[in-house]
Amino acid sequence: MRQVIMALFGTVASAQMYPDCVENRVVFRHAGAHAVFVDLSSFGTSGCWQNDCKNTDKFNADDKGICARACSAMGDCTHWSFGEQEGATKCFLRKSDGGREEA
C-alpha cells in the first residue's frame, strides 16, 4: 500500500543530529521493503498500522521532534518522515532511504 503524505518531511541521517538532519519536502515510502515495524506504543497510541502500536511503522505525532526521538530509540531506524495522512500528522519510521521521493 502506498502512503499519502503531505506537509513537512524530515530525514535522520546518521551523520547529522536533529534538527540539522531535517530535509523539507522529502518522503520515504514503505514500498513493501523499507518500513521498521516495532513497538512504538511509548511514543504514540493512535494512528498506527492496523491500530496496533506494538507492531507499526507509524503513529500520530504533534511535531517532528517526536519522530527523531522515536527513530533514534529504534535500532533499525535510519530515516523518518513527518507528514499528514488521513487527516492527522504522523511519524513514519524507515530502515533505509529506499523509497525516497520529493514531496
Side-chain angles (χ1 to χ4, degrees), residues 75-97:
D76 290 338
C77 185
T78 61
H79 294 76
W80 54 266
S81 294
F82 175 73
E84 184 180 301
Q85 183 184 52
E86 300 169 351
T89 53
K90 297 184 179 197
C91 296
F92 300 85
L93 305 187
R94 301 293 178 253
K95 58 185 173 185
S96 76
D97 66 348

Side-chain angles (χ1 to χ4, degrees), residues 16-99:
Q16 295 180 325
M17 298 294 289
Y18 178 80
D20 297 330
C21 62
V22 173
E23 295 179 60
N24 292 323
R25 307 215 30 91
V26 173
V27 62
F28 296 98
R29 306 264 182 217
H30 168 42
H34 310 292
V36 176
F37 283 88
V38 292
D39 182 353
L40 294 171
S41 59
S42 62
F43 296 97
T45 57
S46 61
C48 301
W49 173 249
Q50 296 183 337
N51 296 318
D52 182 3
C53 292
K54 292 187 181 269
N55 184 35
T56 188
D57 67 327
K58 63 184 177 179
F59 61 95
N60 289 353
D62 292 331
D63 68 76
K64 58 188 171 228
I66 296 167
C67 306
R69 286 190 297 279
C71 187
S72 68
M74 302 299 137
D76 290 338
C77 185
T78 61
H79 294 76
W80 54 266
S81 294
F82 175 73
E84 184 180 301
Q85 183 184 52
E86 300 169 351
T89 53
K90 297 184 179 197
C91 296
F92 300 85
L93 305 187
R94 301 293 178 253
K95 58 185 173 185
S96 76
D97 66 348

